[in-house]
Amino acid sequence: MASLSRINTSPMARWWRNVDRVTLICVGILIGFGYILMLAASPAVAVRIGASRDMFIFKQVCFLMLAALIVVGTSLLSVRAVRILAAVGFVLGIMATALTLVHGIEIKGARRWIALPMMSVQPSEFLKPCFAVVTAWLLTERQKRRYFPGMLISLGLFGVVLLLLKSQPDIGMLSVITTVFITQLFVDGLSLFLVAGGVGCMIAAFIGAYAVFPHVRSRVERFLHPEVGDHYQIDTALRAFGNGGLLGRGPGEGRVKDLLPDAHADFVFAVAGEEFGMIVCLFIIGVFGVIVIRALLKLLRENDPFIVVATTGLVTGFGLQAFVNMGSTLHLIPTKGMTLPFISYGGSSAMSVALTIGMVLALTRTRVNTADSQFGQSTPAFLNRRPRP
């Protein structure tokens, strides 16, 4: 580490001194678990579809290596560069998501993917981090320019995202982005009354989705009434946790991967529970918790409202995605096909989550001066802000 000491003023040395190394270690741990669980879960899935046993392993190794590079590369960016990257990414994400409605691959009645050589891409995955940063930029820009319509523009962009995701349909992704947006509005100073109104609209939208989309109604009814419908996947996943016990059956000894079609993706947490046990599962949950809590704790000392609102949105989306995956597997919430960050199989998910964490690391880096921030030292501390009506 001598080359990265304080006398070294190279960009990488400064980055290493100022970045949150604990979060980097946690990301490395999750990537390690992703590789181990892919070795355990994916061969059986590949054999069932008639592919090479190592197909998913090879692809996921490439995805995880690229994800690690994205985390480091994005975390090197300045705050201004993060905003520009998010704006460009959001525009491209909107265009690509709209393209899925015309030229997308239809899987289980939904058009969410675009076919590319060797893989398919889900553009809406990249909307999550980019939307969080862009809306934070718009919402806090009005502190610099009094009559800047940041709120109205943010609501308009949210409406565009809502229409696109509803048309695919992807209610789960829409729910995550809606929760991120409402959380950002609250952190930005929106009154509790209006936040409650937003939550009410969100509940009304869920009721509407329940009434309009048969697959949503089926999942909710199966969750509320366990005695009705097909519960094969959930029952199998829960038995896997029971079979694993505290210490698990051992690497490669699990059986759930032979029974569930998405054992390498949506139900990879069940594979972890059966083969490595409850203690390892709790450790994985703890790693996710450390990443989220450390980012939020850093914001308590942050004076730049943009960094506060953007980072809050980013870690909300990251934590919520992890909760939805694990909660669905444990039957705590209705089932929803959402990947476990850095662990489940999926290129779009791995790169999107890497972009999210890279942005969080870039925004929360320790800075000697505030010239890199949006507002500088003249901005009042976040905790001393007066809420806006």
Side-chain angles (χ1 to χ4, degrees), residues 204-240:
F206 285 153
I207 295 174
Y210 174 85
V212 173
F213 298 108
H215 70 283
V216 175
R217 181 165 57 252
S218 173
R219 290 176 178 178
V220 172
E221 289 179 349
R222 281 182 291 170
F223 176 76
L224 296 177
H225 306 288
E227 70 280 1
V228 177
D230 180 16
H231 296 82
Y232 171 77
Q233 295 193 90
I234 287 297
D235 291 342
T236 303
L238 292 177
R239 281 198 301 272

PDB file of all heavy atoms in Angstrom, residues 204-240:
ATOM      1  N   ALA A 204     -53.384   3.089  -4.430  1.00  0.00           N
ATOM      2  CA  ALA A 204     -54.461   3.033  -5.422  1.00  0.00           C
ATOM      3  C   ALA A 204     -53.962   2.407  -6.726  1.00  0.00           C
ATOM      4  O   ALA A 204     -54.686   1.645  -7.382  1.00  0.00           O
ATOM      5  CB  ALA A 204     -55.004   4.440  -5.680  1.00  0.00           C
ATOM      6  N   ALA A 205     -52.716   2.717  -7.096  1.00  0.00           N
ATOM      7  CA  ALA A 205     -52.145   2.127  -8.312  1.00  0.00           C
ATOM      8  C   ALA A 205     -51.984   0.621  -8.164  1.00  0.00           C
ATOM      9  O   ALA A 205     -52.225  -0.136  -9.114  1.00  0.00           O
ATOM     10  CB  ALA A 205     -50.801   2.782  -8.616  1.00  0.00           C
ATOM     11  N   PHE A 206     -51.583   0.171  -6.980  1.00  0.00           N
ATOM     12  CA  PHE A 206     -51.455  -1.270  -6.747  1.00  0.00           C
ATOM     13  C   PHE A 206     -52.818  -1.961  -6.862  1.00  0.00           C
ATOM     14  O   PHE A 206     -52.928  -3.047  -7.431  1.00  0.00           O
ATOM     15  CB  PHE A 206     -50.874  -1.529  -5.364  1.00  0.00           C
ATOM     16  CG  PHE A 206     -49.400  -1.245  -5.263  1.00  0.00           C
ATOM     17  CD1 PHE A 206     -48.836  -0.889  -4.060  1.00  0.00           C
ATOM     18  CD2 PHE A 206     -48.592  -1.323  -6.379  1.00  0.00           C
ATOM     19  CE1 PHE A 206     -47.479  -0.608  -3.961  1.00  0.00           C
ATOM     20  CE2 PHE A 206     -47.239  -1.054  -6.300  1.00  0.00           C
ATOM     21  CZ  PHE A 206     -46.674  -0.701  -5.086  1.00  0.00           C
ATOM     22  N   ILE A 207     -53.846  -1.305  -6.318  1.00  0.00           N
ATOM     23  CA  ILE A 207     -55.193  -1.869  -6.423  1.00  0.00           C
ATOM     24  C   ILE A 207     -55.622  -1.938  -7.887  1.00  0.00           C
ATOM     25  O   ILE A 207     -56.226  -2.920  -8.339  1.00  0.00           O
ATOM     26  CB  ILE A 207     -56.186  -1.031  -5.593  1.00  0.00           C
ATOM     27  CG1 ILE A 207     -55.833  -1.124  -4.105  1.00  0.00           C
ATOM     28  CG2 ILE A 207     -57.617  -1.499  -5.832  1.00  0.00           C
ATOM     29  CD1 ILE A 207     -56.660  -0.219  -3.223  1.00  0.00           C
ATOM     30  N   GLY A 208     -55.267  -0.883  -8.648  1.00  0.00           N
ATOM     31  CA  GLY A 208     -55.577  -0.891 -10.070  1.00  0.00           C
ATOM     32  C   GLY A 208     -54.843  -1.998 -10.803  1.00  0.00           C
ATOM     33  O   GLY A 208     -55.401  -2.665 -11.678  1.00  0.00           O
ATOM     34  N   ALA A 209     -53.553  -2.191 -10.449  1.00  0.00           N
ATOM     35  CA  ALA A 209     -52.786  -3.270 -11.079  1.00  0.00           C
ATOM     36  C   ALA A 209     -53.387  -4.626 -10.744  1.00  0.00           C
ATOM     37  O   ALA A 209     -53.430  -5.529 -11.594  1.00  0.00           O
ATOM     38  CB  ALA A 209     -51.329  -3.207 -10.619  1.00  0.00           C
ATOM     39  N   TYR A 210     -53.852  -4.767  -9.520  1.00  0.00           N
ATOM     40  CA  TYR A 210     -54.506  -6.017  -9.101  1.00  0.00           C
ATOM     41  C   TYR A 210     -55.755  -6.274  -9.938  1.00  0.00           C
ATOM     42  O   TYR A 210     -56.039  -7.426 -10.319  1.00  0.00           O
ATOM     43  CB  TYR A 210     -54.866  -5.925  -7.623  1.00  0.00           C
ATOM     44  CG  TYR A 210     -55.663  -7.088  -7.100  1.00  0.00           C
ATOM     45  CD1 TYR A 210     -55.040  -8.252  -6.670  1.00  0.00           C
ATOM     46  CD2 TYR A 210     -57.058  -7.021  -7.020  1.00  0.00           C
ATOM     47  CE1 TYR A 210     -55.780  -9.327  -6.193  1.00  0.00           C
ATOM     48  CE2 TYR A 210     -57.795  -8.086  -6.533  1.00  0.00           C
ATOM     49  CZ  TYR A 210     -57.154  -9.236  -6.125  1.00  0.00           C
ATOM     50  OH  TYR A 210     -57.894 -10.294  -5.650  1.00  0.00           O
ATOM     51  N   ALA A 211     -56.489  -5.212 -10.266  1.00  0.00           N
ATOM     52  CA  ALA A 211     -57.728  -5.366 -11.020  1.00  0.00           C
ATOM     53  C   ALA A 211     -57.478  -5.573 -12.515  1.00  0.00           C
ATOM     54  O   ALA A 211     -58.241  -6.281 -13.181  1.00  0.00           O
ATOM     55  CB  ALA A 211     -58.618  -4.138 -10.812  1.00  0.00           C
ATOM     56  N   VAL A 212     -56.400  -4.985 -13.044  1.00  0.00           N
ATOM     57  CA  VAL A 212     -56.185  -4.971 -14.495  1.00  0.00           C
ATOM     58  C   VAL A 212     -55.321  -6.139 -14.969  1.00  0.00           C
ATOM     59  O   VAL A 212     -55.602  -6.750 -16.008  1.00  0.00           O
ATOM     60  CB  VAL A 212     -55.543  -3.629 -14.920  1.00  0.00           C
ATOM     61  CG1 VAL A 212     -55.141  -3.663 -16.393  1.00  0.00           C
ATOM     62  CG2 VAL A 212     -56.519  -2.488 -14.655  1.00  0.00           C
ATOM     63  N   PHE A 213     -54.243  -6.456 -14.215  1.00  0.00           N
ATOM     64  CA  PHE A 213     -53.274  -7.443 -14.690  1.00  0.00           C
ATOM     65  C   PHE A 213     -53.516  -8.798 -14.019  1.00  0.00           C
ATOM     66  O   PHE A 213     -53.377  -8.924 -12.788  1.00  0.00           O
ATOM     67  CB  PHE A 213     -51.854  -6.976 -14.401  1.00  0.00           C
ATOM     68  CG  PHE A 213     -51.490  -5.688 -15.105  1.00  0.00           C
ATOM     69  CD1 PHE A 213     -51.356  -4.509 -14.385  1.00  0.00           C
ATOM     70  CD2 PHE A 213     -51.302  -5.663 -16.474  1.00  0.00           C
ATOM     71  CE1 PHE A 213     -51.032  -3.331 -15.027  1.00  0.00           C
ATOM     72  CE2 PHE A 213     -50.975  -4.489 -17.125  1.00  0.00           C
ATOM     73  CZ  PHE A 213     -50.841  -3.316 -16.401  1.00  0.00           C
ATOM     74  N   PRO A 214     -53.857  -9.827 -14.784  1.00  0.00           N
ATOM     75  CA  PRO A 214     -54.144 -11.147 -14.204  1.00  0.00           C
ATOM     76  C   PRO A 214     -52.967 -11.742 -13.436  1.00  0.00           C
ATOM     77  O   PRO A 214     -53.170 -12.390 -12.405  1.00  0.00           O
ATOM     78  CB  PRO A 214     -54.492 -12.004 -15.430  1.00  0.00           C
ATOM     79  CG  PRO A 214     -54.923 -11.027 -16.472  1.00  0.00           C
ATOM     80  CD  PRO A 214     -54.108  -9.805 -16.246  1.00  0.00           C
ATOM     81  N   HIS A 215     -51.717 -11.538 -13.930  1.00  0.00           N
ATOM     82  CA  HIS A 215     -50.578 -12.145 -13.248  1.00  0.00           C
ATOM     83  C   HIS A 215     -50.344 -11.492 -11.882  1.00  0.00           C
ATOM     84  O   HIS A 215     -49.914 -12.157 -10.935  1.00  0.00           O
ATOM     85  CB  HIS A 215     -49.325 -12.048 -14.106  1.00  0.00           C
ATOM     86  CG  HIS A 215     -48.768 -10.667 -14.257  1.00  0.00           C
ATOM     87  ND1 HIS A 215     -49.314  -9.723 -15.095  1.00  0.00           N
ATOM     88  CD2 HIS A 215     -47.702 -10.067 -13.670  1.00  0.00           C
ATOM     89  CE1 HIS A 215     -48.610  -8.610 -15.026  1.00  0.00           C
ATOM     90  NE2 HIS A 215     -47.627  -8.790 -14.165  1.00  0.00           N
ATOM     91  N   VAL A 216     -50.652 -10.204 -11.753  1.00  0.00           N
ATOM     92  CA  VAL A 216     -50.547  -9.536 -10.452  1.00  0.00           C
ATOM     93  C   VAL A 216     -51.609 -10.081  -9.505  1.00  0.00           C
ATOM     94  O   VAL A 216     -51.328 -10.392  -8.338  1.00  0.00           O
ATOM     95  CB  VAL A 216     -50.686  -8.011 -10.610  1.00  0.00           C
ATOM     96  CG1 VAL A 216     -50.709  -7.330  -9.236  1.00  0.00           C
ATOM     97  CG2 VAL A 216     -49.556  -7.456 -11.455  1.00  0.00           C
ATOM     98  N   ARG A 217     -52.836 -10.201 -10.002  1.00  0.00           N
ATOM     99  CA  ARG A 217     -53.929 -10.723  -9.175  1.00  0.00           C
ATOM    100  C   ARG A 217     -53.630 -12.142  -8.721  1.00  0.00           C
ATOM    101  O   ARG A 217     -53.871 -12.499  -7.558  1.00  0.00           O
ATOM    102  CB  ARG A 217     -55.237 -10.674  -9.966  1.00  0.00           C
ATOM    103  CG  ARG A 217     -56.437 -11.171  -9.182  1.00  0.00           C
ATOM    104  CD  ARG A 217     -57.748 -10.765  -9.841  1.00  0.00           C
ATOM    105  NE  ARG A 217     -57.837 -11.237 -11.224  1.00  0.00           N
ATOM    106  CZ  ARG A 217     -57.754 -10.448 -12.293  1.00  0.00           C
ATOM    107  NH1 ARG A 217     -57.575  -9.144 -12.142  1.00  0.00           N
ATOM    108  NH2 ARG A 217     -57.839 -10.961 -13.499  1.00  0.00           N
ATOM    109  N   SER A 218     -53.086 -12.961  -9.616  1.00  0.00           N
ATOM    110  CA  SER A 218     -52.768 -14.347  -9.264  1.00  0.00           C
ATOM    111  C   SER A 218     -51.725 -14.414  -8.151  1.00  0.00           C
ATOM    112  O   SER A 218     -51.876 -15.183  -7.186  1.00  0.00           O
ATOM    113  CB  SER A 218     -52.266 -15.090 -10.505  1.00  0.00           C
ATOM    114  OG  SER A 218     -51.800 -16.377 -10.185  1.00  0.00           O
ATOM    115  N   ARG A 219     -50.674 -13.592  -8.249  1.00  0.00           N
ATOM    116  CA  ARG A 219     -49.616 -13.628  -7.237  1.00  0.00           C
ATOM    117  C   ARG A 219     -50.130 -13.140  -5.889  1.00  0.00           C
ATOM    118  O   ARG A 219     -49.790 -13.712  -4.841  1.00  0.00           O
ATOM    119  CB  ARG A 219     -48.443 -12.775  -7.696  1.00  0.00           C
ATOM    120  CG  ARG A 219     -47.679 -13.378  -8.859  1.00  0.00           C
ATOM    121  CD  ARG A 219     -46.585 -12.460  -9.353  1.00  0.00           C
ATOM    122  NE  ARG A 219     -45.826 -13.068 -10.437  1.00  0.00           N
ATOM    123  CZ  ARG A 219     -44.841 -12.471 -11.076  1.00  0.00           C
ATOM    124  NH1 ARG A 219     -44.491 -11.243 -10.742  1.00  0.00           N
ATOM    125  NH2 ARG A 219     -44.205 -13.090 -12.045  1.00  0.00           N
ATOM    126  N   VAL A 220     -50.934 -12.091  -5.881  1.00  0.00           N
ATOM    127  CA  VAL A 220     -51.457 -11.570  -4.619  1.00  0.00           C
ATOM    128  C   VAL A 220     -52.396 -12.582  -3.974  1.00  0.00           C
ATOM    129  O   VAL A 220     -52.337 -12.816  -2.755  1.00  0.00           O
ATOM    130  CB  VAL A 220     -52.176 -10.224  -4.852  1.00  0.00           C
ATOM    131  CG1 VAL A 220     -52.890  -9.768  -3.576  1.00  0.00           C
ATOM    132  CG2 VAL A 220     -51.180  -9.156  -5.300  1.00  0.00           C
ATOM    133  N   GLU A 221     -53.263 -13.191  -4.757  1.00  0.00           N
ATOM    134  CA  GLU A 221     -54.215 -14.152  -4.197  1.00  0.00           C
ATOM    135  C   GLU A 221     -53.507 -15.395  -3.662  1.00  0.00           C
ATOM    136  O   GLU A 221     -53.893 -15.939  -2.623  1.00  0.00           O
ATOM    137  CB  GLU A 221     -55.246 -14.534  -5.264  1.00  0.00           C
ATOM    138  CG  GLU A 221     -56.221 -13.394  -5.580  1.00  0.00           C
ATOM    139  CD  GLU A 221     -57.222 -13.778  -6.642  1.00  0.00           C
ATOM    140  OE1 GLU A 221     -57.037 -14.848  -7.277  1.00  0.00           O
ATOM    141  OE2 GLU A 221     -58.179 -13.010  -6.858  1.00  0.00           O
ATOM    142  N   ARG A 222     -52.459 -15.819  -4.358  1.00  0.00           N
ATOM    143  CA  ARG A 222     -51.705 -16.977  -3.855  1.00  0.00           C
ATOM    144  C   ARG A 222     -50.959 -16.642  -2.567  1.00  0.00           C
ATOM    145  O   ARG A 222     -50.744 -17.505  -1.725  1.00  0.00           O
ATOM    146  CB  ARG A 222     -50.733 -17.468  -4.922  1.00  0.00           C
ATOM    147  CG  ARG A 222     -51.381 -18.322  -6.001  1.00  0.00           C
ATOM    148  CD  ARG A 222     -50.375 -18.811  -7.003  1.00  0.00           C
ATOM    149  NE  ARG A 222     -49.850 -17.717  -7.820  1.00  0.00           N
ATOM    150  CZ  ARG A 222     -48.819 -17.833  -8.641  1.00  0.00           C
ATOM    151  NH1 ARG A 222     -48.150 -18.983  -8.714  1.00  0.00           N
ATOM    152  NH2 ARG A 222     -48.420 -16.811  -9.358  1.00  0.00           N
ATOM    153  N   PHE A 223     -50.561 -15.381  -2.434  1.00  0.00           N
ATOM    154  CA  PHE A 223     -49.891 -14.967  -1.195  1.00  0.00           C
ATOM    155  C   PHE A 223     -50.880 -14.867  -0.039  1.00  0.00           C
ATOM    156  O   PHE A 223     -50.596 -15.327   1.078  1.00  0.00           O
ATOM    157  CB  PHE A 223     -49.202 -13.614  -1.411  1.00  0.00           C
ATOM    158  CG  PHE A 223     -48.576 -13.056  -0.164  1.00  0.00           C
ATOM    159  CD1 PHE A 223     -47.383 -13.564   0.328  1.00  0.00           C
ATOM    160  CD2 PHE A 223     -49.188 -12.012   0.526  1.00  0.00           C
ATOM    161  CE1 PHE A 223     -46.807 -13.050   1.480  1.00  0.00           C
ATOM    162  CE2 PHE A 223     -48.617 -11.490   1.674  1.00  0.00           C
ATOM    163  CZ  PHE A 223     -47.427 -12.011   2.153  1.00  0.00           C
ATOM    164  N   LEU A 224     -52.050 -14.285  -0.298  1.00  0.00           N
ATOM    165  CA  LEU A 224     -53.044 -14.093   0.766  1.00  0.00           C
ATOM    166  C   LEU A 224     -53.772 -15.382   1.112  1.00  0.00           C
ATOM    167  O   LEU A 224     -54.211 -15.562   2.248  1.00  0.00           O
ATOM    168  CB  LEU A 224     -54.051 -13.023   0.342  1.00  0.00           C
ATOM    169  CG  LEU A 224     -53.489 -11.605   0.147  1.00  0.00           C
ATOM    170  CD1 LEU A 224     -54.581 -10.668  -0.352  1.00  0.00           C
ATOM    171  CD2 LEU A 224     -52.889 -11.077   1.442  1.00  0.00           C
ATOM    172  N   HIS A 225     -53.921 -16.269   0.142  1.00  0.00           N
ATOM    173  CA  HIS A 225     -54.663 -17.511   0.355  1.00  0.00           C
ATOM    174  C   HIS A 225     -53.780 -18.695  -0.037  1.00  0.00           C
ATOM    175  O   HIS A 225     -53.867 -19.208  -1.166  1.00  0.00           O
ATOM    176  CB  HIS A 225     -55.956 -17.514  -0.471  1.00  0.00           C
ATOM    177  CG  HIS A 225     -56.821 -16.314  -0.227  1.00  0.00           C
ATOM    178  ND1 HIS A 225     -57.527 -16.116   0.934  1.00  0.00           N
ATOM    179  CD2 HIS A 225     -57.060 -15.218  -1.002  1.00  0.00           C
ATOM    180  CE1 HIS A 225     -58.192 -14.979   0.865  1.00  0.00           C
ATOM    181  NE2 HIS A 225     -57.922 -14.410  -0.286  1.00  0.00           N
ATOM    182  N   PRO A 226     -52.908 -19.136   0.859  1.00  0.00           N
ATOM    183  CA  PRO A 226     -51.956 -20.215   0.538  1.00  0.00           C
ATOM    184  C   PRO A 226     -52.620 -21.517   0.101  1.00  0.00           C
ATOM    185  O   PRO A 226     -51.985 -22.323  -0.580  1.00  0.00           O
ATOM    186  CB  PRO A 226     -51.194 -20.410   1.860  1.00  0.00           C
ATOM    187  CG  PRO A 226     -51.387 -19.134   2.601  1.00  0.00           C
ATOM    188  CD  PRO A 226     -52.740 -18.635   2.218  1.00  0.00           C
ATOM    189  N   GLU A 227     -53.874 -21.709   0.499  1.00  0.00           N
ATOM    190  CA  GLU A 227     -54.527 -22.964   0.149  1.00  0.00           C
ATOM    191  C   GLU A 227     -55.038 -22.966  -1.293  1.00  0.00           C
ATOM    192  O   GLU A 227     -55.507 -23.998  -1.794  1.00  0.00           O
ATOM    193  CB  GLU A 227     -55.704 -23.214   1.100  1.00  0.00           C
ATOM    194  CG  GLU A 227     -56.901 -22.276   0.936  1.00  0.00           C
ATOM    195  CD  GLU A 227     -56.699 -20.913   1.598  1.00  0.00           C
ATOM    196  OE1 GLU A 227     -55.608 -20.697   2.170  1.00  0.00           O
ATOM    197  OE2 GLU A 227     -57.624 -20.086   1.543  1.00  0.00           O
ATOM    198  N   VAL A 228     -54.955 -21.807  -1.980  1.00  0.00           N
ATOM    199  CA  VAL A 228     -55.481 -21.686  -3.335  1.00  0.00           C
ATOM    200  C   VAL A 228     -54.323 -21.575  -4.317  1.00  0.00           C
ATOM    201  O   VAL A 228     -53.354 -20.857  -4.079  1.00  0.00           O
ATOM    202  CB  VAL A 228     -56.397 -20.453  -3.460  1.00  0.00           C
ATOM    203  CG1 VAL A 228     -56.886 -20.302  -4.907  1.00  0.00           C
ATOM    204  CG2 VAL A 228     -57.579 -20.569  -2.505  1.00  0.00           C
ATOM    205  N   GLY A 229     -54.419 -22.283  -5.442  1.00  0.00           N
ATOM    206  CA  GLY A 229     -53.463 -22.099  -6.523  1.00  0.00           C
ATOM    207  C   GLY A 229     -52.196 -22.928  -6.365  1.00  0.00           C
ATOM    208  O   GLY A 229     -52.035 -23.722  -5.432  1.00  0.00           O
ATOM    209  N   ASP A 230     -51.279 -22.672  -7.311  1.00  0.00           N
ATOM    210  CA  ASP A 230     -50.027 -23.424  -7.379  1.00  0.00           C
ATOM    211  C   ASP A 230     -48.949 -22.710  -6.568  1.00  0.00           C
ATOM    212  O   ASP A 230     -48.597 -21.566  -6.851  1.00  0.00           O
ATOM    213  CB  ASP A 230     -49.588 -23.556  -8.840  1.00  0.00           C
ATOM    214  CG  ASP A 230     -48.282 -24.321  -8.983  1.00  0.00           C
ATOM    215  OD1 ASP A 230     -47.884 -24.993  -8.014  1.00  0.00           O
ATOM    216  OD2 ASP A 230     -47.668 -24.234 -10.064  1.00  0.00           O
ATOM    217  N   HIS A 231     -48.414 -23.393  -5.547  1.00  0.00           N
ATOM    218  CA  HIS A 231     -47.367 -22.824  -4.704  1.00  0.00           C
ATOM    219  C   HIS A 231     -46.085 -23.659  -4.780  1.00  0.00           C
ATOM    220  O   HIS A 231     -45.290 -23.668  -3.849  1.00  0.00           O
ATOM    221  CB  HIS A 231     -47.836 -22.756  -3.240  1.00  0.00           C
ATOM    222  CG  HIS A 231     -48.995 -21.840  -3.024  1.00  0.00           C
ATOM    223  ND1 HIS A 231     -50.290 -22.230  -3.260  1.00  0.00           N
ATOM    224  CD2 HIS A 231     -49.051 -20.555  -2.593  1.00  0.00           C
ATOM    225  CE1 HIS A 231     -51.106 -21.224  -2.980  1.00  0.00           C
ATOM    226  NE2 HIS A 231     -50.386 -20.193  -2.587  1.00  0.00           N
ATOM    227  N   TYR A 232     -45.908 -24.323  -5.901  1.00  0.00           N
ATOM    228  CA  TYR A 232     -44.786 -25.250  -6.008  1.00  0.00           C
ATOM    229  C   TYR A 232     -43.446 -24.563  -5.751  1.00  0.00           C
ATOM    230  O   TYR A 232     -42.620 -25.051  -4.969  1.00  0.00           O
ATOM    231  CB  TYR A 232     -44.790 -25.913  -7.388  1.00  0.00           C
ATOM    232  CG  TYR A 232     -43.550 -26.730  -7.661  1.00  0.00           C
ATOM    233  CD1 TYR A 232     -43.391 -27.987  -7.085  1.00  0.00           C
ATOM    234  CD2 TYR A 232     -42.537 -26.240  -8.488  1.00  0.00           C
ATOM    235  CE1 TYR A 232     -42.252 -28.738  -7.327  1.00  0.00           C
ATOM    236  CE2 TYR A 232     -41.397 -26.985  -8.730  1.00  0.00           C
ATOM    237  CZ  TYR A 232     -41.264 -28.233  -8.147  1.00  0.00           C
ATOM    238  OH  TYR A 232     -40.128 -28.968  -8.383  1.00  0.00           O
ATOM    239  N   GLN A 233     -43.208 -23.423  -6.406  1.00  0.00           N
ATOM    240  CA  GLN A 233     -41.901 -22.780  -6.289  1.00  0.00           C
ATOM    241  C   GLN A 233     -41.634 -22.291  -4.870  1.00  0.00           C
ATOM    242  O   GLN A 233     -40.545 -22.503  -4.316  1.00  0.00           O
ATOM    243  CB  GLN A 233     -41.788 -21.621  -7.286  1.00  0.00           C
ATOM    244  CG  GLN A 233     -41.811 -22.065  -8.738  1.00  0.00           C
ATOM    245  CD  GLN A 233     -41.399 -20.958  -9.680  1.00  0.00           C
ATOM    246  OE1 GLN A 233     -40.223 -20.802 -10.002  1.00  0.00           O
ATOM    247  NE2 GLN A 233     -42.368 -20.183 -10.141  1.00  0.00           N
ATOM    248  N   ILE A 234     -42.626 -21.630  -4.271  1.00  0.00           N
ATOM    249  CA  ILE A 234     -42.447 -21.116  -2.913  1.00  0.00           C
ATOM    250  C   ILE A 234     -42.305 -22.252  -1.919  1.00  0.00           C
ATOM    251  O   ILE A 234     -41.435 -22.229  -1.025  1.00  0.00           O
ATOM    252  CB  ILE A 234     -43.620 -20.200  -2.519  1.00  0.00           C
ATOM    253  CG1 ILE A 234     -43.515 -18.870  -3.276  1.00  0.00           C
ATOM    254  CG2 ILE A 234     -43.642 -19.941  -1.023  1.00  0.00           C
ATOM    255  CD1 ILE A 234     -42.279 -18.070  -2.944  1.00  0.00           C
ATOM    256  N   ASP A 235     -43.156 -23.279  -2.035  1.00  0.00           N
ATOM    257  CA  ASP A 235     -43.061 -24.418  -1.120  1.00  0.00           C
ATOM    258  C   ASP A 235     -41.699 -25.107  -1.242  1.00  0.00           C
ATOM    259  O   ASP A 235     -41.092 -25.497  -0.235  1.00  0.00           O
ATOM    260  CB  ASP A 235     -44.179 -25.428  -1.414  1.00  0.00           C
ATOM    261  CG  ASP A 235     -45.555 -24.895  -1.039  1.00  0.00           C
ATOM    262  OD1 ASP A 235     -45.612 -23.916  -0.263  1.00  0.00           O
ATOM    263  OD2 ASP A 235     -46.565 -25.440  -1.529  1.00  0.00           O
ATOM    264  N   THR A 236     -41.208 -25.241  -2.463  1.00  0.00           N
ATOM    265  CA  THR A 236     -39.904 -25.869  -2.672  1.00  0.00           C
ATOM    266  C   THR A 236     -38.798 -25.019  -2.066  1.00  0.00           C
ATOM    267  O   THR A 236     -37.865 -25.547  -1.436  1.00  0.00           O
ATOM    268  CB  THR A 236     -39.652 -26.068  -4.179  1.00  0.00           C
ATOM    269  OG1 THR A 236     -40.708 -26.853  -4.741  1.00  0.00           O
ATOM    270  CG2 THR A 236     -38.321 -26.773  -4.416  1.00  0.00           C
ATOM    271  N   ALA A 237     -38.881 -23.694  -2.241  1.00  0.00           N
ATOM    272  CA  ALA A 237     -37.866 -22.799  -1.679  1.00  0.00           C
ATOM    273  C   ALA A 237     -37.868 -22.852  -0.154  1.00  0.00           C
ATOM    274  O   ALA A 237     -36.804 -22.906   0.480  1.00  0.00           O
ATOM    275  CB  ALA A 237     -38.105 -21.371  -2.161  1.00  0.00           C
ATOM    276  N   LEU A 238     -39.047 -22.860   0.449  1.00  0.00           N
ATOM    277  CA  LEU A 238     -39.124 -22.905   1.908  1.00  0.00           C
ATOM    278  C   LEU A 238     -38.597 -24.231   2.452  1.00  0.00           C
ATOM    279  O   LEU A 238     -37.944 -24.274   3.501  1.00  0.00           O
ATOM    280  CB  LEU A 238     -40.575 -22.670   2.360  1.00  0.00           C
ATOM    281  CG  LEU A 238     -41.131 -21.264   2.104  1.00  0.00           C
ATOM    282  CD1 LEU A 238     -42.591 -21.186   2.532  1.00  0.00           C
ATOM    283  CD2 LEU A 238     -40.310 -20.218   2.842  1.00  0.00           C
ATOM    284  N   ARG A 239     -38.871 -25.328   1.728  1.00  0.00           N
ATOM    285  CA  ARG A 239     -38.317 -26.614   2.156  1.00  0.00           C
ATOM    286  C   ARG A 239     -36.796 -26.597   2.066  1.00  0.00           C
ATOM    287  O   ARG A 239     -36.103 -27.219   2.889  1.00  0.00           O
ATOM    288  CB  ARG A 239     -38.884 -27.750   1.296  1.00  0.00           C
ATOM    289  CG  ARG A 239     -40.283 -28.185   1.673  1.00  0.00           C
ATOM    290  CD  ARG A 239     -40.605 -29.566   1.094  1.00  0.00           C
ATOM    291  NE  ARG A 239     -40.499 -29.572  -0.356  1.00  0.00           N
ATOM    292  CZ  ARG A 239     -41.493 -29.264  -1.183  1.00  0.00           C
ATOM    293  NH1 ARG A 239     -42.681 -28.919  -0.680  1.00  0.00           N
ATOM    294  NH2 ARG A 239     -41.333 -29.302  -2.491  1.00  0.00           N
ATOM    295  N   ALA A 240     -36.269 -25.887   1.094  1.00  0.00           N
ATOM    296  CA  ALA A 240     -34.814 -25.804   0.955  1.00  0.00           C
ATOM    297  C   ALA A 240     -34.188 -25.140   2.173  1.00  0.00           C
ATOM    298  O   ALA A 240     -33.156 -25.603   2.680  1.00  0.00           O
ATOM    299  CB  ALA A 240     -34.458 -25.018  -0.312  1.00  0.00           C
TER     300      ALA A 240
END
